[in-house]
Amino acid sequence: MNGFVAPSVGGQLDVLLPYLVVAVGGLAIMLVDALVRTRRRDHLPFLTLLVLLGSVLAQLARSGGEEREILAGMMTVGDYARYFNLLFAGCGVLTTVFAGAVLERDGRGRPEFYPLLLFSILGMMVLAAASDLLTVFLGIETMSLAVYVLAGGVRGDVRSSEAGFKYLLLGGFASAFLLMGMALLYGFAGGTAFSDIAGALAAREGDLGLAMLGGGLVLVGFAFKVAIVPFHMWTPDVYDGAPAYVTGFMATAVKAAGFAILVRFAWLMQPQLAFVWYPVLAGLAVVTMTVGNLVALAQSSVKRLLAWSSIAHAGYLMLGVVTLISPATGGSAQMVLGREVGESAGSALLFYLLAYSLMNLAAFGIVASLGSREGEADDIERYAGLSRRRPVAAAVLAVAMLSLAGIPPLVGFMSKFYLFSAVVRAGLVPLAVIGVINSLISVYYYLRLLVVMYMKKPEADGYAGHEPLAVGAAAVLAGLVLLLGVVPDGVHRAALVVFRQMSF
Amino acid sequence: MPFITDHILSWVTFLPLAGAVLLWTVVRREGPARWLALGVALADFVLSLHLWFHFDAASGVDQFVEHAAWLADGRIAYRMGMDGISLMLVMLTTFLGPLVILSTWRAITERVAEFMGFLLLLQAAMLGTFFARDMLLFYVFWEAMLIPMYFIIGVWGGQRRLYAAVKFFIFTMVGSVFMLVGILWLYFQAGSMDLAAFLSLHLPRAAQLWLFAAFFLAFAIKVPLWPLHTWLPDAHVEAPTAGSVILAGVLLKMGTYGMLRFAMPLFPEAVTAFAPAVSVLAVIGIIYGALVALVQPDVKKLVAYSSVSHLGFAVLGLFSLTPLGVAGSLYQMLAHGLSTGALFLLVGVIYERRHTREIAEFGGLAHGMPRYATLFLVTTLASIGLPGLAGFVAEFMILFGTFNSGTLAHGRLLAVLAATGVVLGAIYMLWMYQRVFLGRRDNPKNEGLADLNGRELVVILPLVLFMFWLGVRPGLVLDRVEASIARVLAPLGVEGAAPAGHGHGALEAPAADLPAGQGQFVFRNAEMR
């Protein structure tokens, strides 16, 4: 093999370790499932948890997280990627706990679930660290292909199959947009690395029209993944059809991954392109919040309600992205104030994603735990009197709902506080007003669930599923929701450091 | 015990919270839950007495100050403090606390521990709101009040409790989210969430008008000022007795407190611009509330509408922009808290016995229930504003302040119109009293009703005692709030409201050489003019 130069991975092994742990772990679990037979087959969730734990340890073991390009510039690993990797691992852990409990209850073997979960997390991790358009595509497809199967893979369940298929078709559509945009960007910059694009933008070389169009198409691809109106059509059906533990994963980890790359990409394209895309994105953010909240008002299915609420939250998050690229932010090299506004928006986004994951996972965990073999706990009326049958589950769900509605002293309030203060700081007061009006609308439907659980008489056919482990995990999340609502400063500070490092 | 007295405000605020946590987790059985809640509320009252006795009345600045960095490198902090205005409302809150818990001893039989927990949680949030001197901290406490009240109405309320609870929640939220945007905007102007930093801003007039509107909406809904009052009758009627008492006694005062503490000193130019309009709304509220109360068939709803009328006085007093009117407004908050709180308690007493509140169902109750009828009469008279009882002092000061207001163009006309509200108040209250207590006992269901028992007397008598006390000894309150009001009104440049020295005598309590009575300071004020 003379003349062949193997890429030197050796020096980068330490930073690649978390990725390798997840990848190898996923493959190993597939093998274990094929070769090892135990009676209850409950070893798979344990192994999955072990793998995720291993990846977390590998993350934490690496000290000094300066941004660093690896694999010939394909990926940039640093605190930004690490922050998201920990978030993904956390979502993965909880999803595994919820899924393990529910699958055992339903007597459904779903051994492929665990490796697929790990592969999708691997895709997200790659996505969060991507610094090249090819890596972006690689990550997004690795994540999505696994999630298609997660959503659609409940055998014998037509709605789940429909969900998976719908997601697959529209996801493919989105990938086409993404690829087209990438092609145009390549045409503009002459390279696929982010550094090439940034260089070309800064030098104002090439055809800026191509860059604008390409950037826009890439944004469309991301908008599909994070469910921004009008690219949200798949969301209610897929969230409703997929089993609750998968929906929780999709609403948190997948969305966080989408925003991880969206924020990085928007920041990359920000200096020169803000003036083109900023008004469009601002409009989309407003429309997304408003549509999400208004439609959620009319839902009678808990999962659909949470689906529309997740669209609304994507709108709030988009508001953060808009602030990030707003003219007030003024470009990474410009005035100090602009930089501060950008940082406050970026750190607010990171904090919001964490907060949103906490409260949403708690909600979906409870929804998953309340179901039974006959079906999932989806009909809002059958939650009546839940506070008497399942006081802990009802309390956890109530905390999650109040937090989603943004009531202090819960983390949902603090995340909105950071977000809206960034918006106001950028001088976008009208957008902030629209945002708070929206969160006002949302109060109504979040309260509806509380009303049903606490203030209505129990019915005979009410949901009464009980999975102590899942409820316990959700209760821990609710505790964190309260804790971070009272003392959010540490995490927010970390988010600020993380964003600052990424944005330089 | 320095470890308590050094952080006395935190202790007073968070002791009820600790009680609530205990009630939700450990003490689940009914009996112990009741006693624990009562014990915690009493302990909180005792702690708050420390504030009363160690408060330096001569100084209008915040006392017992606590400070700890919270967010954004200390720009947002845990800042607590207490001046005379806060002191009065805090004492009202901690005083009502144990009484309310005692009043629910028999009325609440379902999920007792949860109920008591929510009452204590509500108390903690209310106290925090009065102490907070950081705008974000204030907002957190302010919003946190919603959750327990929402549950108290929604879980333990009457027939239409769901509607009432959600309406209460949404109405209050509507106001406060706009205030939040205003707070955020000010935060970036001031560079800190410290109230003092907000106060030292010099805002352009246009900004003041917008911000005042945002703040004022939040507070006006809470008061509630006509025409934003529609949530109140629903909430009151559906809430259990304890909820109504807290709502009328303290929660409504959050609105007037917020105006006095934040909306008025922060935006002085806007206040002068809006004062004529606001005072007209207040007068409409006074008369409208009274007229609607007049035709209510339900005693509780009657009392609820009387709150709209009484709180209209409080707002009118504030926006008369005279030290006298503002002090009267604060006095009205206390008087209304005592008398309306007591009225709701008394209505609850008869509701427990008869399970109805329809006036038409009653008649001649005085025959079988003399103690009840007597205490009800005293409370009724206090609510009307009979001289010698608390309400009189408040309404007199407010009307006098409005009459002499230099900033209200039609101050005299407004005072005259508002005074008709006093007359109407007498009509609806006395007419209600007549139909319920006097005359013949026609309805056989009203026979054999038990008179007030020991527990109920323990609940009502302290309230009645203070109605008298505040009625004859206004200095008790006015001495302590004078300096604070002068300080709060200083940014408004109100005549006679400059801190220390100038105009200091405006609210002076009766001097020793004059016979005791509430009139002197009023007339002295008149002489000064």
Side-chain angles (χ1 to χ4, degrees):
Chain A
M1 300 291 280
N2 287 340
F4 177 77
V5 182
S8 147
V9 176
Q12 303 166 343
L13 197 62
D14 59 330
V15 286
L16 278 177
L17 195 60
Y19 299 84
L20 291 176
V21 168
V22 176
V24 174
L27 292 170
I29 288 178
M30 279 174 92
L31 284 178
V32 169
D33 178 51
L35 301 177
V36 182
R37 285 269 169 266
T38 62
R39 203 160 50 82
R40 293 181 57 204
R41 287 205 288 192
D42 56 358
H43 54 300
L44 295 184
F46 284 112
L47 288 177
T48 313
L49 290 179
L50 269 183
V51 171
L52 289 170
L53 188 68
S55 85
V56 168
L57 288 179
Q59 291 287 352
L60 296 178
R62 197 169 61 81
S63 61
E66 75 285 3
E67 287 273 291
R68 178 175 159 198
E69 290 196 340
I70 56 166
L71 300 179
M74 296 301 274
M75 283 162 72
T76 304
V77 290
D79 279 341
Y80 186 75
R82 185 144 74 150
Y83 182 87
F84 276 101
N85 289 353
L86 292 175
L87 180 61
F88 300 146
C91 292
V93 166
L94 285 153
T95 306
T96 311
V97 171
F98 298 148
V102 170
L103 290 174
E104 192 175 329
R105 174 191 72 201
D106 293 353
R108 286 178 195 277
R110 238 194 123 178
E112 83 286 2
F113 179 87
Y114 301 103
L116 282 171
L117 185 73
L118 289 176
F119 294 146
S120 75
I121 288 177
L122 178 66
M124 294 170 189
M125 291 165 72
V126 170
L127 198 54
S131 58
D132 188 296
L133 292 175
L134 290 179
T135 331
V136 171
F137 191 70
L138 208 62
I140 228 168
E141 287 305 301
T142 312
M143 168 182 89
S144 301
L145 285 172
V147 176
Y148 298 147
V149 186
L150 290 181
V154 183
R155 274 192 300 277
D157 184 340
V158 182
R159 295 216 302 161
S160 165
S161 307
E162 184 199 332
F165 194 61
K166 205 171 248 176
Y167 194 24
L168 172 68
L169 281 184
L170 288 170
F173 203 52
S175 298
F177 273 101
L178 194 63
L179 272 181
M180 189 66 207
M182 288 176 176
L184 293 176
L185 282 178
Y186 176 68
F188 158 71
T192 54
F194 282 6
S195 50
D196 295 340
I197 299 172
L201 279 175
R204 299 194 160 272
E205 290 166 351
D207 186 349
L208 274 176
L210 274 184
M212 259 150 46
L213 193 59
L217 288 175
V218 170
L219 286 179
V220 168
F222 296 149
F224 260 105
K225 289 296 163 205
V226 299
I228 298 289
V229 176
F231 312 107
H232 68 292
M233 290 304 183
W234 55 275
T235 316
D237 290 340
V238 174
Y239 278 25
D240 191 23
Y245 50 90
V246 175
T247 314
F249 185 68
M250 290 168 66
T252 55
V254 175
K255 188 160 283 199
F259 271 102
I261 189 62
L262 186 56
V263 167
R264 205 192 267 268
F265 187 75
W267 187 253
L268 170 79
M269 303 291 281
Q270 190 266 339
Q272 279 77 16
L273 296 187
F275 64 99
V276 181
W277 291 116
Y278 160 71
V280 178
L281 291 181
L284 288 188
V286 168
V287 172
T288 304
M289 294 189 273
T290 314
V291 169
N293 279 322
L294 288 181
V295 180
L297 286 176
Q299 300 305 317
S300 61
S301 141
V302 174
K303 277 162 75 189
R304 287 188 95 84
L305 187 150
L306 287 170
W308 285 104
S309 115
S310 90
I311 292 174
H313 281 272
Y316 300 133
L317 284 160
M318 207 61 198
L319 210 55
V321 176
V322 168
T323 311
L324 195 63
I325 64 167
S326 73
T329 314
S332 46
Q334 290 191 18
M335 7 176 232
V336 179
L337 176 67
R339 172 140 209 110
E340 276 179 10
V341 172
E343 278 171 1
S344 66
S347 59
L349 276 169
L350 297 188
F351 185 84
Y352 201 109
L353 284 167
L354 172 71
Y356 176 70
S357 301
L358 288 175
M359 54 207 185
N360 231 20
L361 277 173
F364 277 107
I366 296 299
V367 172
S369 82
L370 287 173
S372 65
R373 283 182 183 226
E374 279 75 50
E376 293 210 281
D378 200 22
D379 181 1
I380 197 166
E381 289 308 320
R382 288 171 68 189
Y383 277 71
L386 188 73
S387 63
R388 286 160 199 254
R389 285 193 305 277
R390 298 276 171 258
V392 177
V396 170
L397 196 51
V399 168
M401 289 296 130
L402 288 172
S403 179
L404 283 166
I407 309 290
L410 302 170
V411 73
F413 168 73
M414 277 302 164
S415 55
K416 279 194 179 126
F417 164 73
Y418 285 127
L419 191 72
F420 289 143
S421 46
V423 176
V424 170
R425 195 170 186 182
L428 310 173
V429 177
L431 283 180
V433 170
I434 295 173
V436 295
I437 292 177
N438 262 288
S439 79
L440 193 60
I441 299 173
S442 75
V443 168
Y444 185 80
Y445 61 82
Y446 291 126
L447 281 190
R448 237 181 95 200
L449 205 53
L450 258 74
V451 165
V452 172
M453 290 192 301
Y454 279 88
M455 302 172 193
K456 290 210 168 154
K457 292 264 176 298
E459 310 266 335
D461 65 343
Y463 298 118
H466 186 45
E467 300 299 331
L469 196 60
V471 173
V476 171
L477 287 175
L480 283 174
V481 164
L482 181 61
L483 182 71
L484 283 184
V486 179
V487 281
D489 204 35
V491 175
H492 181 255
R493 216 179 275 263
L496 191 64
V497 171
V498 163
F499 182 79
R500 204 171 273 166
Q501 192 201 59
M502 188 279 283
S503 58
F504 265 112
Chain B
M1 282 181 288
F3 87 104
I4 290 183
T5 47
D6 285 354
H7 303 279
I8 182 72
L9 299 188
S10 297
W11 277 91
V12 172
T13 307
F14 293 109
L15 183 72
L17 180 68
V21 172
L22 273 183
L23 283 165
W24 286 327
T25 50
V26 185
V27 187
R28 307 287 303 165
R29 283 173 41 234
E30 284 190 17
R34 288 196 176 103
W35 283 107
L36 175 69
L38 183 63
V40 169
L42 279 173
D44 205 35
F45 179 61
V46 171
L47 280 179
S48 69
L49 284 178
H50 176 87
L51 299 177
W52 179 265
F53 290 113
H54 290 80
F55 177 75
D56 175 12
S59 156
V61 299
D62 289 330
Q63 302 174 22
F64 308 103
V65 175
E66 289 176 39
H67 180 276
W70 184 24
L71 305 177
D73 301 322
R75 272 169 297 175
I76 303 171
Y78 176 78
R79 290 187 186 87
M80 303 278 265
M82 192 194 75
D83 64 357
I85 300 168
S86 296
L87 172 71
M88 289 303 149
L89 294 166
V90 164
M91 292 312 295
L92 179 69
T93 310
T94 54
F95 173 67
L96 283 176
L99 301 181
V100 164
I101 285 168
L102 203 57
S103 79
T104 63
W105 217 253
R106 293 278 166 266
I108 302 294
T109 52
E110 264 186 70
R111 301 205 244 180
V112 175
E114 279 94 340
F115 183 80
M116 296 297 179
F118 279 124
L119 278 184
L120 290 178
L121 178 65
L122 185 58
Q123 181 162 339
M126 294 188 300
L127 291 169
T129 312
F130 290 132
F131 289 140
R133 292 295 181 270
D134 180 277
M135 293 307 285
L136 189 71
L137 186 67
F138 162 75
Y139 189 82
V140 167
F141 280 125
W142 171 269
E143 289 281 276
M145 285 188 301
L146 284 182
I147 302 170
M149 198 63 207
Y150 167 74
F151 277 101
I152 287 173
I153 298 175
V155 178
W156 291 274
Q159 289 292 318
R160 291 168 67 240
R161 59 183 190 275
L162 305 185
Y163 172 76
V166 173
K167 193 170 177 184
F168 163 77
F169 204 107
I170 303 267
F171 259 72
T172 319
M173 274 293 275
V174 169
S176 33
V177 292
F178 294 109
M179 180 168 70
L180 178 63
V181 178
I183 291 177
L184 288 177
W185 194 84
L186 284 167
Y187 171 48
F188 292 115
Q189 304 300 312
S192 161
M193 279 281 186
D194 189 354
L195 177 60
F198 276 34
L199 284 169
S200 59
L201 284 175
H202 294 286
L203 298 165
R205 185 181 159 84
Q208 284 199 23
L209 293 179
W210 278 107
L211 290 163
F212 179 81
F215 275 66
F216 185 74
L217 181 67
F219 300 135
I221 289 175
K222 203 86 173 183
V223 168
L225 189 66
W226 185 90
L228 302 165
H229 66 282
T230 58
W231 63 271
L232 180 75
D234 287 310
H236 264 317
V237 171
E238 300 308 325
T241 299
S244 294
V245 176
I246 299 276
L247 194 58
V250 188
L251 226 55
L252 302 186
K253 277 74 187 179
M254 292 296 168
T256 37
Y257 171 78
M259 289 177 190
L260 181 55
R261 168 79 63 215
F262 304 108
M264 293 174 58
L266 282 176
F267 318 115
E269 281 184 51
V271 171
T272 343
F274 276 106
V278 173
S279 52
V280 168
L281 289 182
V283 170
I284 294 179
I286 292 171
I287 297 173
Y288 170 88
L291 287 176
V292 178
L294 198 57
V295 296
Q296 291 305 319
D298 180 309
V299 189
K300 203 171 181 188
K301 218 161 182 171
L302 184 146
V303 180
Y305 275 105
S306 84
S307 288
V308 176
S309 186
H310 285 147
L311 267 299
F313 275 106
V315 175
L316 183 65
L318 289 181
F319 283 84
S320 73
L321 304 182
T322 57
L324 189 65
V326 171
S329 173
L330 187 65
Y331 216 91
Q332 174 79 339
M333 296 184 212
L334 301 177
H336 175 262
L338 292 174
S339 64
T340 308
L343 278 175
F344 277 119
L345 286 169
L346 289 162
V347 173
V349 164
I350 195 68
Y351 183 75
E352 277 178 45
R353 287 166 174 58
R354 281 290 318 276
H355 298 287
T356 180
R357 293 183 300 248
E358 294 286 314
I359 295 175
E361 284 280 316
F362 301 114
L365 287 186
H367 294 295
M369 308 171 76
R371 276 180 296 202
Y372 181 62
T374 310
L375 291 177
F376 205 112
L377 183 64
V378 175
T379 312
T380 301
L381 295 175
S383 172
I384 293 170
L386 192 78
L389 292 162
F392 173 76
V393 183
E395 282 172 4
F396 202 98
M397 289 169 76
I398 291 168
L399 291 176
F400 211 98
T402 311
F403 197 82
N404 282 336
S405 168
T407 40
L408 291 183
H410 304 289
R412 299 189 172 203
L413 177 64
L414 289 172
V416 171
L417 288 174
T420 63
V422 181
V423 179
L424 287 170
I427 297 177
Y428 66 75
M429 287 307 289
L430 289 176
W431 190 36
M432 181 270 288
Y433 188 83
Q434 181 192 342
R435 284 178 292 168
V436 172
F437 289 93
L438 306 181
R440 292 225 313 270
R441 197 160 35 165
D442 293 330
N443 192 337
K445 286 186 207 154
N446 290 332
E447 286 170 25
L449 295 179
D451 204 351
L452 295 181
N453 60 29
R455 176 181 59 84
E456 285 159 346
L457 282 175
V458 168
V459 174
I460 306 283
L461 279 177
L463 289 167
V464 172
L465 179 73
F466 273 96
M467 286 174 215
F468 277 112
W469 201 347
L470 288 189
V472 296
R473 183 76 181 85
L476 192 70
V477 171
L478 296 175
D479 286 351
R480 285 177 174 76
V481 298
E482 180 186 359
S484 303
I485 288 180
R487 188 171 148 271
V488 167
L489 291 186
L492 288 161
V494 169
E495 174 200 359
H502 175 62
H504 193 66
L507 294 177
E508 217 160 60
D513 57 338
L514 290 165
Q518 65 280 355
Q520 276 76 27
F521 64 90
V522 173
F523 296 124
R524 286 190 50 185
N525 184 275
E527 283 158 18
M528 274 169 56
R529 287 167 189 276

